[in-house]
Amino acid sequence: MLFGTSGLIPPESEEAGWNMSKYPHDIYSFGATLYRMLTFEIPFEEDGKRHYTKGLNFYKSKPTIFIVDLLFQTLQIDPDLRPTADEISTHIFFY
């Protein structure tokens, strides 16, 4: 059984034995929600191909490198590569 909004849940949620209690899925969902707020699109097409940088190119005001970096980190396919909440809180985008 899947929980979450289609397009905003992490890719690993479709794997058998996925553990919803780990933080990387929240980090991914944070990045996906932030992306959606900026572009009004989901970060991935249904075929799983990345298109989030394309969406940011059409963002009305040019995104800073800081938001692009934050999105790149939080939307990593591999959950082990996503930052922790503490790492996000010290990201330069928030300063």
Side-chain angles (χ1 to χ4, degrees), residues 46-86:
E46 287 184 20
D47 61 6
K49 293 184 179 176
R50 289 177 182 237
H51 77 278
Y52 67 83
T53 52
K54 180 180 123 185
L56 285 174
N57 289 334
F58 296 106
Y59 183 56
K60 293 189 188 303
S61 62
K62 292 272 186 193
T64 67
I65 190 69
F66 306 122
I67 189 66
V68 173
D69 179 65
L70 181 61
L71 289 169
F72 179 77
Q73 289 182 37
T74 57
L75 294 174
Q76 288 291 320
I77 298 293
D78 182 348
D80 293 331
L81 297 177
R82 294 180 203 139
T84 64
D86 285 339

Side-chain angles (χ1 to χ4, degrees), residues 14 22 27 37 41 68:
E14 296 179 14
K22 294 186 177 181
I27 301 300
M37 288 169 53
E41 298 177 4
V68 173

Side-chain angles (χ1 to χ4, degrees), residues 8-10 12 18-30 79 82:
L8 301 180
I9 58 174
E12 68 270 14
W18 178 62
N19 185 349
M20 192 173 135
S21 66
K22 294 186 177 181
Y23 75 85
H25 76 280
D26 288 334
I27 301 300
Y28 180 90
S29 294
F30 165 75
R82 294 180 203 139

